Amino acid sequence: EWGGGVLAYTRSTLTLTDNTVLYENEAQLGGGAHAYVDSTLVVADGARIERNAASVSGGGAYLNAGADATFEGENTAVENNVARDIDGGGGIAVLAGASAVFTNGAALRANRAERGGGGGATCAGAGASLAFRGDAVVSENVAATRGGGVLASRGCVVEIEGSPSEADLSSSRSSRSVVFSGNSVQVDEERCRPGVFGGGAVALEPNID
């Protein structure tokens, strides 16, 4: 049901480092990893969440209320995961009160939301937040409805901020950039219902209330 690869249960901390891989796991919520209430998930130093599947949401990782996650490092990636139902979040799903940060080259890449939004990530609810900093990469993710790269709705706050490295500060080099590249929305016309579709890179939705 929760966390096909790993489950960080209430108020626990799970750290994946040094090329650890969560590979080809399945669950309803969080095919690779599920961080439950008030838990912390750290994925760093080349660790990857890869080719996992969620039958509902969060193909790679699912962050429940109050959970937080950090994805850090150039070879760290959430990639080639899939969410199969309308709740979406092919790479990760971030719920109300939860937060996730991709930084220092971490990649959210080639994930799919087969029937919903947020091919790379979906972030929904009051107090939810999703940040991309430094030279984080969001690329080649695909959604079926909205937000090929990222779908933010119902009060989620998204921050996209490049930052200078120490080398940049001491030279004429420009700041490291957050890159959104090759994300898309691919609507199945045969199953298309009335509604709004789009946002290849990022889609923002208002609070439905």
Side-chain angles (χ1 to χ4, degrees), residues 1-204:
E1 183 179 15
W2 296 341
V6 290
L7 169 63
Y9 204 57
T10 306
R11 296 178 181 171
S12 60
T13 298
L14 173 65
T15 302
L16 307 174
T17 60
D18 299 325
N19 302 311
T20 299
V21 181
L22 297 181
Y23 187 80
E24 291 190 347
N25 304 286
E26 296 186 16
Q28 291 180 15
L29 301 173
H34 187 122
Y36 196 60
V37 177
D38 296 330
S39 292
T40 297
L41 174 65
V42 178
V43 183
D45 300 328
R48 301 193 315 279
I49 300 178
E50 183 178 0
R51 295 189 182 277
N52 302 282
S55 59
V56 178
S57 183
Y62 188 93
L63 308 181
N64 220 312
D68 62 84
T70 300
F71 303 87
E72 183 172 11
E74 290 188 0
N75 295 315
T76 299
V78 178
E79 60 185 350
N80 289 301
N81 302 286
V82 59
R84 296 198 166 108
D85 212 342
I86 59 174
D87 288 345
I92 65 170
V94 183
L95 269 64
S99 65
V101 177
F102 285 78
T103 186
N104 293 333
L108 182 63
R109 181 170 52 230
N111 302 286
R112 302 189 325 279
E114 287 187 340
R115 298 184 60 211
T122 182
C123 179
S129 66
L130 179 60
F132 300 94
R133 298 184 179 133
D135 49 354
V137 176
V138 182
S139 66
E140 308 301 328
N141 301 287
V142 179
T145 56
R146 292 175 294 281
V150 173
L151 170 63
S153 65
R154 299 195 298 278
C156 171
V157 174
V158 176
E159 177 184 354
I160 302 172
E161 180 184 13
S163 62
S165 67
E166 292 182 6
D168 294 334
L169 292 172
S170 62
S171 71
S172 60
R173 291 175 56 196
S174 61
S175 300
R176 295 178 297 167
S177 297
V178 174
V179 175
F180 280 72
S181 173
N183 304 287
S184 62
V185 173
Q186 298 178 1
V187 180
D188 184 343
E189 294 182 2
E190 293 182 359
R191 295 190 301 175
C192 183
R193 60 189 183 280
V196 178
F197 301 88
V202 179
L204 306 178

